């Protein structure tokens, strides 16, 4: 549930708007006529709430239960699946990862890059009816910073937040931060809540957002959302959304086939092949911004030796690992940023080469054969499968691997304490290259658990973080990425696909690379 | 009798205290830091420290224990690390689901066990007996997980008669409640039913060999009446004990069944609490399980005395 950095990003405003208009134009007339028959189709499902479910409620089965609904506190992907539909941020990324207006309609950056001025949308109301203005933005951001909530680090370079008038917010930075838009709009963890609401409402169980849906009811078995008629954008097409928590994929897929539910993300990669030919199920597969890697503890010999790590990199056949862990539903990559991103840099120096691997390892290992503990967690079963393949591959080049399977809580403990030789894990949902590289690879980075330190990389990453020219910035990140790959700070493996399934005639749903799910423009099958 | 009840209550309090210390100690010893887990990989040291302090994890362990048990005595079980809700409300939210499931499962178990156990006892070593012992062996060996999935695939998938997963509160829609209940109840009831079948069989067998049964038969009483009035009545008294223990077991949450059927019960709550190292929730849940076991055992013992006049607790002095 709480994998590393579970970041979510908002729906593509413009793109979805287009879909909404299109859908509205095509099916508007029908919708009125078949309102009742359509409702019948949805409600004769033996789903929870059955007969009482309002007409036109989309039923989605998600694989885990949200921990809480406070967007500033939760780290769980399951929570963001719900919150995505309830809250808004100042800006949202579109399908290309470019930021578009949401609660802010426009923004300007000062020459020196230190002052950002946002103009806010007018006529927006929160779900409790109160109007939205700049005081709400200041309150939301100050809450994250002052209470040191989980996302406080995103405001590390923020010196001050001011509201000169009701429609304007000015953010002053201590150092230029081109990633600021990603930091405030990359996912719903940076949502805007009404001023003072945390003192009067328990945000863990209730939500007061500006999004297309209101949080109606939360329970142990599911969560219900209702359309918010006062939404500032086009109102949602469905009356509501019911999220059910179904952890067992067989149950979720059966429910989808029999029409109990309309949508699920509970599709293990090994099911993909079978579902492709299934007429009762629409399968959505798209490359994600998720990346998975192996990290070696560079404070321990022989992993502190760059050439040894390079030997390991040559010894791994990424294609085989990807096939085993994801049944092919992933794209191998030797850097972090996936091909589809504008920040992608093609760089792949490590062909699978057992001979070279063996030589490098033999020359640089302290003892032979060199045992290497590889820490994995059952929280992410793909790490276990990948580890088994890597174990077999590295055995051929003289590295003996001991797979250490831990509960995720223990795993994180050991990672934080540096008590490991190597581990496998992934990061999800970065849009800006800052998120892909900075905290993980600068010497003092908060997520640099592998103990990597290269002053040249530090300089490049720090420069890139403050560079405001997009092309110059990309050039800096490309250089840094090459060094990181060459030094094997992380041994990058692959970018997995997002896999979701829905009812064949569900219209208007768009699967997204950042795994954000938004049901605003969805139309139910009849 | 009153003396006995009092003594049992005192014992229960002592057991509960022991359980609470044990649970608390185990949670402290288990590796895995809840705050680390909540923050994931990007734990910024300052945020981490702030959260730890807020959760009271920086206090000495003894202080933490007494804060918790002191609260528990007044009904305050603390606040979940994960959700921020009170543990009591989290538990109460799940009690109806677990009660439904456990009740229905024990009903399924009895519906399997009493007829099957009785018939096989009446015809020992017959094909029926052979079938009963084989099927109870199978029922015990089949993993709940697998049985659950098979039932889902058959009744929800192929036949489409029942929903595959989920829960509807009884108060919301009794029909939907029942429809959702059937498959999980069968899944959970089969293993209990298998245990009880064997128990009923041996109990009935034993009862049939007793003097009063032979006497009744010798008097020329009809076989069916003998069975009803002399055999079953006596044979089923011990069933109260075993059935009670099974019920307590089911009530404390059939974790696997709840997982397969997305059933929002106590077992699922406890499972999630273990995963996220949510100490307050897990401690609260375990304490509740202990209370359930103790209460059920007490009730069973008292009921036993009512059902079987030979048992008296006066001699317990």
């Amino acid at each position: 549930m709480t994998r590393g950095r579970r970041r979510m990003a908002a729906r593509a405003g413009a793109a979805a708007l287009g879909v909404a208009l299109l859908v509205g134009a095509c099916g508007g007339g029908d919708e009125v006529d078949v309102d009742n028959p359509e409702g019948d189709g949805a409600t004769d499902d033996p789903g929870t709430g059955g007969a009482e479910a309002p007409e036109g409620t989309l039923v989605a089965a998600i694989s885990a239960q949200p921990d809480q609904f406070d967007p500033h506190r939760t780290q769980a992907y399951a929570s963001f699946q719900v919150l995505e539909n309830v809250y808004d941020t100042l800006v949202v990324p579109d399908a290309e990862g470019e930021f578009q207006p949401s609660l802010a309609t426009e923004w300007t950056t000062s020459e020196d890059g230190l002052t950002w001025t946002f103009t806010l949308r007018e006529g927006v109301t929160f779900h409790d009816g109160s109007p939205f203005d700049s005081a709400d933005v200041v309150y939301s951001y100050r809450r994250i910073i002052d209470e040191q909530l989980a996302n406080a680090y995103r405001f590390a370079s923020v010196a001050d937040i001011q509201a000169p008038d009701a429609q304007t917010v000015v953010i002053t930075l201590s150092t230029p931060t081109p990633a600021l838009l990603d930091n405030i709009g990359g996912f719903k963890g940076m949502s805007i809540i009404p001023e003072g609401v945390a003192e009067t409402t328990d945000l863990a169980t209730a939500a007061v957002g500006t999004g297309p849906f209101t949080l109606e009811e939360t329970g142990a078995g599911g969560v219900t959302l209702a359309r918010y008629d006062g939404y500032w954008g086009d109102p949602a097409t469905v009356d509501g959304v019911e999220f059910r928590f179904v952890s067992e994929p067989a149950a979720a897929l059966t429910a989808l086939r029999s029409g109990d539910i309309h949508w699920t993300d509970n599709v293990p990669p090994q099911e993909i092949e079978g579902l492709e030919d299934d007429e009762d199920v629409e399968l959505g597969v798209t490359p994600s911004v998720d990346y998975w890697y192996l990290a070696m503890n560079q404070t321990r010999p022989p992993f502190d030796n760059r050439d040894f790590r390079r030997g390991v990199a040559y010894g791994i056949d990424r294609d085989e690992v990807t096939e085993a862990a994801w049944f092919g539903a992933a794209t191998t990559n030797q850097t972090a940023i996936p091909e589809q991103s504008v920040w992608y840099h093609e760089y792949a120096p490590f062909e699978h080469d057992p001979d070279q691997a063996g030589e490098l390892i033999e020359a640089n290992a302290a003892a032979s054969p060199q045992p290497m503990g590889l820490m994995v967690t059952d929280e992410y079963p793909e790490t276990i499968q990948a580890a088994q393949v890597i174990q077999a591959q590295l055995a051929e080049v003289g590295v003996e691997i001991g797979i250490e399977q831990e509960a995720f809580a223990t795993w994180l403990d050991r990672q934080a304490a540096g008590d490991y030789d190597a581990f496998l894990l992934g990061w999800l949902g970065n849009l800006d290259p800052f998120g892909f590289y900075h905290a993980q690879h600068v010497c003092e980075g908060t997520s640099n658990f592998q103990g990597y330190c290269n002053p040249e990389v530090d300089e490049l990453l720090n420069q890139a973080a403050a560079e405001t020219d997009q092309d110059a910035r990309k050039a800096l990140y490309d250089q840094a990425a090459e060094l990181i790959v060459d030094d094997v700070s992380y041994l990058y493996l692959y970018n997995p696909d997002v896999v979701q399934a829905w009812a064949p005639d569900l219209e208007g749903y768009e699967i997204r690379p950042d795994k954000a799910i938004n049901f605003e423009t969805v139309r139910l099958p009849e | 009798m009153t003396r006995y009840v009092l003594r049992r209550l005192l014992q229960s309090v002592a057991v509960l205290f022991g359980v609470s210390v044990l649970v608390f100690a185990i949670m402290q010893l288990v590796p895995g830091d809840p705050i680390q887990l909540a923050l994931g990989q990007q734990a910024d040291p300052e945020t981490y420290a702030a959260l730890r302090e807020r959760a009271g994890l920086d206090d000495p362990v003894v202080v933490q224990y007494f804060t918790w048990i002191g609260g528990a005595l007044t009904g305050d079980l603390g606040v979940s690390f994960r959700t921020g809700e009170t543990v009591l409300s989290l538990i109460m939210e799940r009690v109806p689901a677990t009660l439904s499931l456990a009740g229905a499962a024990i009903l399924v178990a009895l519906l399997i066990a009493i007829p099957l156990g009785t018939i096989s006892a009446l015809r020992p070593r017959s094909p029926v007996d052979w079938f009963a012992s084989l099927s109870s062996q199978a029922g015990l060996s089949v993993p709940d997980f697998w049985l659950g999935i098979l039932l889902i695939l058959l009744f929800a998938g192929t036949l489409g008669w029942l929903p595959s997963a989920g829960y509807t509160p009884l108060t919301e829609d009794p029909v939907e409640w029942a429809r959702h209940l059937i498959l999980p109840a069968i899944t959970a009831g089969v293993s209990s039913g298998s245990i009880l079948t064997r128990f009923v069989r041996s109990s009935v067998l034993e009862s049939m060999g007793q003097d009063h049964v032979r006497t009744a038969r010798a008097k020329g009483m009809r076989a069916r009446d003998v069975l009803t009035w002399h055999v079953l009545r006596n044979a089923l008294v011990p069933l109260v004990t075993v059935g009670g223990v099974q019920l307590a077991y089911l009530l404390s949450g059939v974790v696997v069944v709840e997982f397969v059927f997305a059933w929002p019960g106590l077992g699922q709550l406890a499972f999630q609490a273990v995963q996220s190292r949510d100490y307050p929730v897990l401690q609260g849940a375990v304490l509740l399980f202990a209370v359930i076991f103790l209460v059920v055992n007490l009730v069973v013992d008292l009921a036993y005395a009512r059902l079987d006049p030979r048992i008296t607790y006066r001699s317990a002095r």
Side-chain angles (χ1 to χ4, degrees), chain B residues 187-215:
Chain B
T187 309
V190 159
S191 50
S192 286
S194 303
I195 295 170
L196 295 180
T197 302
R198 297 169 158 217
F199 187 80
V200 170
R201 179 182 181 273
S202 60
S203 188
V204 170
L205 265 181
E206 190 190 330
S207 186
M208 286 204 307
Q210 280 177 2
D211 292 346
H212 70 277
V213 174
R214 269 186 309 184
T215 312

Side-chain angles (χ1 to χ4, degrees), chain A residues 200-226:
Chain A
T200 55
T201 307
D202 181 10
L203 291 177
T205 51
V208 192
T210 53
F213 293 97
T214 58
L215 185 64
E216 280 293 290
E217 210 180 307
T218 65
V223 170
T224 322
L225 308 183

Side-chain angles (χ1 to χ4, degrees), chain A residues 46 48 52 67 148 153 245 413, chain B residues 32 42 47 83 167 172 179 262:
Chain A
T48 53
E52 288 184 16
D67 58 349
Q148 289 175 340
Y153 77 98
F245 317 139
D413 258 10
Chain B
Q42 43 150 48
T47 312
T83 70
Y167 166 73
E172 208 172 274
R179 281 167 50 84

Side-chain angles (χ1 to χ4, degrees), chain A residues 95-112:
Chain A
E96 278 77 47
E98 295 283 324
F99 283 91
Q100 303 294 339
S102 180
L103 287 180
T105 50
E106 53 189 86
W107 51 93
T108 55
T109 316
S110 66
E111 285 282 289
D112 59 5

Side-chain angles (χ1 to χ4, degrees), chain A residues 1-2 4 46-49 52 65 67-68 73 75 147-150 153 204-205 218-221 245-248 251 254-255 258 260 293 407-410 412-413 415-416 425-427 447 449, chain B residues 31-33 36-47 50 54 82-83 85 93-94 145 149 152-153 156-157 163-168 172-173 176 179-180 259-260 262 264 268 272 275 277:
Chain A
M1 270 164 285
T2 47
T48 53
E52 288 184 16
Q65 183 176 3
D67 58 349
Q68 54 162 311
R73 288 187 196 273
Q75 294 279 298
E147 296 185 30
Q148 289 175 340
L149 302 183
Y153 77 98
T205 51
T218 65
F245 317 139
V246 181
S247 340
E248 170 50 43
T254 304
S258 59
D260 283 8
Y293 60 95
F408 195 44
T410 314
L412 283 166
D413 258 10
Q415 183 202 40
L425 205 71
W427 287 64
S447 297
F449 298 102
Chain B
D33 178 338
Q36 188 82 52
L37 195 60
L39 284 173
Q41 267 188 292
Q42 43 150 48
D44 158 53
E46 279 176 32
T47 312
R54 200 173 305 149
R82 203 170 83 96
T83 70
E85 287 176 80
E93 188 179 35
R94 289 167 181 262
F145 189 78
I149 289 180
I152 288 177
L153 291 179
S164 55
Y167 166 73
T168 303
E172 208 172 274
D173 186 341
E176 281 306 313
R179 281 167 50 84
H180 280 93
F259 178 82
V260 173
Q268 205 191 54
Q272 283 168 350
Q275 276 195 319
R277 299 291 188 270

